[in-house]
């Protein structure tokens, strides 16, 4: 059987030899006692990089986001985010469950929120209304086809939140993809956000883990919430070592994933079964199938060629490039896309 080429997500990567070596050699201790030096190194490394005070290593991006929302809201508050946001759509309804907060959904262009969209949705102080207390941005925007915010857009939202006394959290599951694509500096981010969540297990290629960044006070509270959610981990340094290795060795190469995604988009745009391809900025390709097809039919046809991908709606298909997709696999996929009969 031929080798599968797996574009379902950038979460499917396996640790590289260098990463496994770093994991095996990690110095570990009991992190619930604060004694795992590798976990502490990872947390400090990312906090320093983003000009934030402190970090907290967690098992997943869902947990870092949910902890941040819990830290930045009280029950009966309201969170503002885009209607496509991961925190709303793909975290199991956790905002209601964990934080007892309601959600106001906005319709940003490809998921990008602006002060013009946010300001009219901030509730005035009135007992009829939930109290708006938090805005969540996502960068890159997953359902926006990996779209990036500019720093100017982020600054504008930050300024509004500062005036309105709202907290601002960033779901930066793919923030390093955005940094590599835009050339913006990680250090510019800390000033704008109260919390930043970064996934190590997406494009960066670590097997497990996300880090929440924030002020020392926020991270002290976040550590408490992580414990009650069952996310306090003991010799987690073996996992943190994978994150440190990824940050040292697997960031710059994200540019290659972005090139691969653009090459796929280019051939897809010419295929007769494709209606339109969303412009590619990072490692996600979203395209709509032509009106006579269903997305699942095209996914099945690609699957028969050993190419795995997912639908995101009845008309839309998503391909995600990553560390385990080589240039040779891209060439093979391009050929299959060109020859595909649905
Ligand atoms: C993957 C992802 C997360 C976190 O997901 P986990 O699987 O819980 O790590 C959060 N936000 C976005 C936009 C994501 O794509």
């Amino acid at each position: 059987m031929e080798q599968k080429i797996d574009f379902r997500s950038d979460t499917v990567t396996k640790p590289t030899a260098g990463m496994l070596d770093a994991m095996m050699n990690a110095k570990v201790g009991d992190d619930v006692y604060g004694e795992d030096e590798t976990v502490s190194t990872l947390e400090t490394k990312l906090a320093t990089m983003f000009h934030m005070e402190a970090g907290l290593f967690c098992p997943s991006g869902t947990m870092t986001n949910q902890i941040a929302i819990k830290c930045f809201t009280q029950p009966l508050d309201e969170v503002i985010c885009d209607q496509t946001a991961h925190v709303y759509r793909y975290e199991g309804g956790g905002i209601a469950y964990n934080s007892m907060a309601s959600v106001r959904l906005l319709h940003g262009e490809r998921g990008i929120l602006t002060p013009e969209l946010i300001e009219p949705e901030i509730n005035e102080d009135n007992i009829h209304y939930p109290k708006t207390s938090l805005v969540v941005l996502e960068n890159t925007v997953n359902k926006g086809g990996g779209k990036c915010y500019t720093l100017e857009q982020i600054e504008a939202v930050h300024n509004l939140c500062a005036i309105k006394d709202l907290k601002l959290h960033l779901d930066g599951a793919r923030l390093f993809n955005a940094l590599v694509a835009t050339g913006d500096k990680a250090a510019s981010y800390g000033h704008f956000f109260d919390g930043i969540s970064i996934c190590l297990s997406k494009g960066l290629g670590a097997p497990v883990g996300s880090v929440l960044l924030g002020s020392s006070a926020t991270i002290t509270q976040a550590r408490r919430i992580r414990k009650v959610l069952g996310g306090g981990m003991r010799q987690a340094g073996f996992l943190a070592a994978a994150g440190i290795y990824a940050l040292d060795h697997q960031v710059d190469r994200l540019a290659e994933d972005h090139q691969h995604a653009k090459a796929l988009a280019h051939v897809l745009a010419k295929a007769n079964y494709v209606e339109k391809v969303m412009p590619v900025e990072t490692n996600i390709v979203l395209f709509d199938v032509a009106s006579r097809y269903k997305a699942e039919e095209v996914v099945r046809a690609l699957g028969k060629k050993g190419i795995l991908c997912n639908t995101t709606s009845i008309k839309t298909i998503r391909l995600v490039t990553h560390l385990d997709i080589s240039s040779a696999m891209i060439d093979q996929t391009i050929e299959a896309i060109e020859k595909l009969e649905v």
Side-chain angles (χ1 to χ4, degrees), residues 9-11 59-65 85-87 90-91 138-142 171-174 197 199 201-202 209-210 318:
S9 177
D10 44 9
T11 56
S60 71
T62 297
M63 190 181 281
T64 44
N65 280 332
H86 193 282
V87 293
Y90 302 112
E91 297 186 5
E138 194 173 296
N139 195 20
T140 67
V141 186
N142 175 16
D171 177 355
R174 295 187 178 85
S197 161
C199 286
S201 62
K202 296 260 164 85
S210 287
R318 187 182 81 155

Side-chain angles (χ1 to χ4, degrees), residues 254-269:
L254 291 170
E256 197 180 308
D257 297 343
H258 301 172
Q259 274 314 113
H260 287 164
K262 288 191 175 115
L264 294 177
H266 186 72
V267 284
L268 281 165

Side-chain angles (χ1 to χ4, degrees), residues 185-232:
K185 298 274 168 285
S188 312
Y189 269 73
H191 171 65
F192 294 129
F193 292 98
D194 297 288
I196 301 179
S197 161
I198 291 167
C199 286
L200 301 163
S201 62
K202 296 260 164 85
L204 293 180
V208 176
S210 287
V211 174
L212 177 63
L213 304 175
S215 69
S216 302
T218 295
I219 296 302
T220 298
Q221 194 195 349
R223 198 173 288 281
R224 211 169 236 293
I225 298 166
R226 184 186 68 174
K227 190 76 181 85
V228 79
L229 294 176

